[in-house]
Amino acid sequence: MFEIVKRDGLARLGKFETKHGVLETPALLPVVNPKINTVTSRELYDEFGFRAMITNSYIIKNTPDLKEKAQALGLHEMLDFPGIIMTDSGTFQSHMYGEVEVTNDEMVEFQKSIGTDIGTVLDIFTEPYWTKEQTAESIEVTLERTQYACDIKGDMMINGVGQGSIYKDLRESCARRMADMDIDVHPIGGVVPLMEQYRYSDLVDVVISSKKGLNPNRPVHLFGAGHPMILALATLMGCDLFDSASYAKFARDDRLMFIDGTFRLSEMQSLDCDCPACRGHTVQTLRKLPPKERTKVIAKHNLYQITHELALVKRYLSEGRLWELAEMRCRAHPALLDALRRLEEYQDFLEKTEPISRTGAMFYTGAETRGRPVFKRYIDRVNSRYVPPTDKAVLFVDEGSKPYSRAYAADFDRARKAGYTPIVLSPFGPVPADLDEMYPLAQSLFPYIMDIDTEIESSSTTREFLDRKFKTTIKYSEIPDDGDQEYDADMLRAMAVSRYQFGEEATQALFRGNVELIKSRKTGKIRNVISDGEHVLSMRAPDGMYSLRVEGAKRITESVPAPHMRVVLMDDAVPFVSKGRNAFCQFITSCDEELVPMDEAILVDKDDNVIATGRLNVIANEIASLKKGIAVKVRSGSGDDEA
Ligand code: GUN
Ligand code: ZN
């Protein structure tokens, strides 16, 4: 069973339950070659804290003494590894050396017989140079073998390896069919040659196409990915498991892995590493070590680089900042930068997984930052949902001080009195004064000196926005001095944020009748929206967005047809959720697919009665396949005393 504990876009922190313990993901499984044992499995467990490893059942099966020992003692005792053991099936050997003389059922049965926790189908490795026909045919064989493996797997978990070479449609359809089978882990296979050839942008196509079809309820393993420099990007794309044989292979060639590449000991000018393996060493002392000893030190160094980076990936992920780490890491190699730029082509897909807001500020790292889905989200919404209060705009330029309404308070006031709506040209594109305190506008940091791509992009989106929404636009130096129009900046903001979050119809319902805004005495910011005496909305200070109250939710369900903002509960869950308990995935019958993670959601029963409100904790179209975890974090229920 796989439980997603936290997510950031496609990336997730998870818990994967197996017979030999719960694995926290993302996780990397070091490959142990039972014939070589560069670093022993016990060391991997004790010294490095690896709780899962991977070894090759094909090698074991073809080495008589290992085979005998594995079948007599079981894999865990043979390898002296108390954690989770995954085995591969010989597919990679066929990729390296041609045909293997074993069958799928033989390999699956053998893996069962040695007590593997997670065994692997004997899939067919689809090479990047294969024709589409050849690829499609071999996928059929892999799928047949996978179905067979599912039928006979018993209590062993099974890796159902997705294939498809570099054909995006085949990757997606293969993934979709794998999603329907009773497999436990979704490895993405056939990608090692892409990584060896630095074809990282093809890797992005393969991973994202696969992710579109895979079952979100299962961990995704990027087969053969173990270099620290790829971990942030791969995790960002929704991969949960990785494996590395290269830590040992490279070590045998005197090559050291670092976050910015792999370097030969013979060419290194200095070591600059304070990992526990290198401590006390210089390149000179390392070179002088006897070969076996040296290999071990370098292998351990490589493992420390991996564990260190993985810990960092987890930290950034849990802080909602994984995009930043991935963007920084992709500067290590131009091919990785290509990958990041390719990812921008999937903004539409990524946008559905992008939370409406995050805690903490977002940091710009370079021109590629504009490829993040948060930009697309903002532009789409401001274009489709913003309603200007006047048909004349005055354009300001972002000079770095935020929020704009404070930085330009006097000019904004003059503009509004003259009947103009202030719009700021920002790196996000156009920012109406009414929205400037909302995520991500105020909660973001950009350099004063902007890169030219971002400048061109934001100017052109701003131009389009102004043309679409206004009759005239002037520069801030042209604002007339003598305006006397009245305006209510707080009410404009209150309604603009509501439109952005909930849409026009819902906003009309929420702001019906006599509306009173309660503001913080300390900060002067809007706190509560009271409509005809009912407390319908509360504005959150950190992200400038609303929490929806049950009274507000009732207004919306009465006037906006389903499924807008609804998450429908099964009858069994209604009594609990109405008391304020969280709504779990397995108790949800349907969900508005327009909702995005962290959106305000209205929990209703099957007759559209409001039960509670809260924030969506998952990706809307994933709820149906998720068996565990919180779907909506409930804030207040209709049966709550304080509601
Ligand atoms: N190891 C690296 N790539 C692959 C793959 O495509 N299939 C299997 N079974 N193992 C792999
Ligand atoms: Zn080191």
Side-chain angles (χ1 to χ4, degrees):
M1 187 75 113
F2 183 56
E3 182 182 2
I4 298 166
V5 179
K6 184 156 184 149
R7 45 174 88 240
D8 181 7
L10 283 174
R12 44 218 204 151
L13 289 176
K15 285 187 177 159
F16 186 45
E17 213 178 302
T18 74
K19 269 186 297 178
H20 280 86
V22 176
L23 182 63
E24 289 187 16
T25 66
L28 182 136
L29 287 63
V31 175
V32 173
N33 182 331
K35 280 162 98 173
I36 308 182
N37 255 320
T38 312
V39 179
T40 66
S41 345
R42 191 76 219 187
E43 284 173 302
L44 292 170
Y45 190 91
D46 288 341
E47 210 177 309
F48 294 88
F50 287 109
R51 289 298 174 262
M53 54 155 278
I54 176 166
T55 190
N56 196 299
S57 65
Y58 178 78
I59 296 176
I60 296 172
K61 188 169 182 298
N62 283 300
T63 311
D65 58 325
L66 287 177
K67 178 180 177 183
E68 200 177 306
K69 221 167 146 188
Q71 284 187 316
L73 301 175
L75 208 45
H76 291 81
E77 195 177 330
M78 176 174 97
L79 293 170
D80 190 21
F81 189 80
I84 301 155
I85 301 183
M86 181 187 278
T87 46
D88 203 350
S89 55
T91 299
F92 196 67
Q93 279 65 28
S94 72
H95 155 72
M96 293 290 284
Y97 315 111
E99 284 292 294
V100 292
E101 66 291 3
V102 285
T103 60
N104 179 51
D105 50 342
E106 240 184 292
M107 284 317 300
V108 176
E109 289 297 355
F110 180 69
Q111 293 176 84
K112 277 167 67 179
S113 77
I114 58 177
T116 301
D117 293 299
I118 309 160
T120 303
V121 176
L122 186 69
D123 52 315
I124 298 179
F125 198 101
T126 51
E127 302 286 349
Y129 58 83
W130 278 14
T131 64
K132 198 164 180 179
E133 290 67 36
Q134 192 178 8
T135 306
E137 272 172 35
S138 82
I139 287 175
E140 292 305 321
V141 179
T142 294
L143 285 166
E144 239 171 70
R145 292 181 184 180
T146 308
Q147 186 52 58
Y148 181 79
C150 293
D151 295 341
I152 64 162
K153 70 176 184 176
D155 67 352
M156 177 178 77
M157 289 184 168
I158 198 89
N159 269 333
V161 188
Q163 293 287 352
S165 180
I166 54 170
Y167 303 102
K168 294 191 259 184
D169 50 344
L170 295 183
R171 282 284 176 184
E172 187 175 339
S173 59
C174 177
R176 231 171 261 294
R177 287 167 68 188
M178 292 275 179
D180 289 338
M181 294 181 182
D182 184 24
I183 57 189
D184 302 277
V185 179
H186 282 305
I188 298 175
V191 295
V192 169
L194 298 178
M195 292 186 286
E196 283 172 350
Q197 297 162 30
Y198 284 73
R199 292 169 64 179
Y200 294 122
S201 52
D202 287 333
L203 183 69
V204 168
D205 286 342
V206 166
V207 173
I208 298 290
S209 306
S210 304
K211 282 292 290 187
K212 286 181 180 174
L214 291 176
N215 185 335
N217 203 26
R218 300 168 184 160
V220 174
H221 180 162
L222 192 58
F223 237 144
H227 198 292
M229 71 184 187
I230 193 80
L231 295 178
L233 179 69
T235 305
L236 182 73
M237 294 192 290
C239 299
D240 309 288
L241 300 175
F242 308 94
D243 64 280
S244 174
S246 37
Y247 77 92
K249 281 189 190 156
F250 287 168
R252 288 195 289 275
D253 287 342
D254 285 334
R255 295 171 75 194
L256 285 82
M257 293 160 114
F258 287 96
I259 191 62
D260 53 347
T262 310
F263 302 96
R264 285 179 197 287
L265 182 61
S266 60
E267 291 167 4
M268 287 172 68
Q269 299 298 314
S270 67
L271 190 54
D272 294 322
C273 183
D274 62 357
C275 85
C278 293
R279 213 161 283 159
H281 274 297
T282 64
V283 276
Q284 287 78 16
T285 64
L286 207 50
R287 282 180 197 148
K288 280 192 199 124
L289 286 180
K292 228 179 145 181
E293 224 175 293
R294 191 171 64 234
T295 299
K296 186 134 186 172
V297 173
I298 298 177
K300 287 190 169 184
H301 158 89
N302 291 344
L303 286 168
Y304 280 118
Q305 299 304 303
I306 291 169
T307 52
H308 185 255
E309 178 65 2
L310 202 62
L312 206 60
V313 166
K314 283 189 187 172
R315 176 157 78 78
Y316 271 78
L317 200 172
S318 62
E319 292 171 359
R321 297 171 57 208
L322 192 56
W323 274 97
E324 279 154 42
L325 185 66
E327 286 171 7
M328 290 190 274
R329 293 307 187 224
C330 285
R331 275 160 178 86
H333 195 285
L336 280 169
L337 205 49
D338 269 334
L340 190 60
R341 291 177 181 174
R342 180 66 60 87
L343 195 56
E344 190 176 338
E345 291 176 19
Y346 297 97
Q347 266 195 353
D348 281 351
F349 173 67
L350 296 175
E351 197 264 339
K352 295 187 173 75
T353 73
E354 175 67 19
I356 192 80
S357 88
R358 296 162 193 254
T359 47
M362 63 155 279
F363 275 53
Y364 167 101
T365 74
E368 288 74 21
T369 297
R370 237 192 167 280
R372 293 186 204 171
V374 63
F375 284 78
K376 181 182 158 50
R377 158 80 46 72
Y378 175 70
I379 286 297
D380 286 356
R381 286 225 178 171
V382 81
N383 276 326
S384 62
R385 296 189 173 185
Y386 179 70
V387 179
T390 70
D391 60 5
K392 295 185 291 185
V394 52
L395 190 60
F396 289 79
V397 176
D398 179 355
E399 282 164 355
S401 297
K402 289 185 191 177
Y404 306 130
S405 49
R406 203 174 319 140
Y408 306 108
D411 288 334
F412 277 15
D413 179 56
R414 213 154 43 86
R416 289 184 136 148
K417 281 187 176 138
Y420 286 84
T421 299
I423 305 290
V424 183
L425 170 60
S426 84
F428 287 100
V431 177
D434 318 326
L435 291 177
D436 74 330
E437 285 177 6
M438 188 190 71
Y439 183 90
L441 305 167
Q443 299 76 3
S444 49
L445 276 167
F446 292 85
Y448 290 102
I449 305 168
M450 194 45 64
D451 71 90
I452 193 76
D453 286 351
T454 301
E455 212 154 78
I456 292 172
E457 268 289 306
S458 62
S459 297
S460 85
T461 49
T462 303
R463 184 53 50 205
E464 281 168 34
F465 171 83
L466 291 169
D467 288 348
R468 186 176 310 169
K469 307 260 183 195
F470 296 92
K471 285 209 178 96
T472 47
T473 302
I474 60 169
K475 286 187 269 189
Y476 71 93
S477 55
E478 299 164 347
I479 306 169
D481 263 332
D482 49 0
D484 59 0
Q485 292 201 20
E486 285 186 16
Y487 67 94
D488 182 345
D490 291 326
M491 193 58 76
L492 289 173
R493 178 186 303 284
M495 293 188 70
V497 172
S498 174
R499 288 191 181 99
Y500 186 93
Q501 266 185 279
F502 312 126
E504 179 65 31
E505 274 183 282
T507 300
Q508 291 307 327
L510 290 164
F511 287 78
R512 195 176 59 206
N514 178 29
V515 179
E516 189 193 347
L517 302 179
I518 312 286
K519 300 210 296 179
S520 157
R521 234 177 281 157
K522 225 156 85 204
T523 63
K525 289 191 176 178
I526 300 167
R527 297 258 312 257
N528 299 321
V529 178
I530 316 290
S531 162
D532 280 341
E534 287 178 343
H535 180 183
V536 289
L537 297 168
S538 305
M539 194 176 270
R540 303 184 289 254
D543 66 355
M545 286 189 169
Y546 286 119
S547 296
L548 179 65
R549 311 268 310 177
V550 166
E551 294 308 323
K554 287 181 180 161
R555 298 274 190 95
I556 295 174
T557 55
E558 281 158 17
S559 47
V560 192
H564 189 66
M565 294 178 67
R566 314 306 205 268
V567 176
V568 185
L569 285 167
M570 285 179 190
D571 290 345
D572 289 356
V574 167
F576 298 97
V577 174
S578 73
K579 287 196 193 77
R581 300 261 197 95
N582 290 324
F584 286 85
C585 291
Q586 61 271 38
F587 297 111
I588 307 295
T589 52
S590 68
C591 170
D592 175 10
E593 297 231 339
E594 303 274 297
L595 286 175
V596 299
M598 303 310 281
D599 247 339
E600 291 298 306
I602 305 173
L603 287 152
V604 294
D605 67 13
K606 60 180 188 304
D607 302 318
D608 209 32
N609 296 306
V610 176
I611 305 303
T613 62
R615 292 182 85 177
L616 191 68
N617 194 45
V618 293
I619 297 165
N621 64 11
E622 289 188 355
I623 287 190
S625 27
L626 295 174
K627 298 203 178 84
K628 224 175 160 178
I630 298 170
V632 179
K633 275 204 172 131
V634 171
R635 184 178 309 110
S636 49
S638 58
D640 259 2
D641 291 339
E642 70 262 49

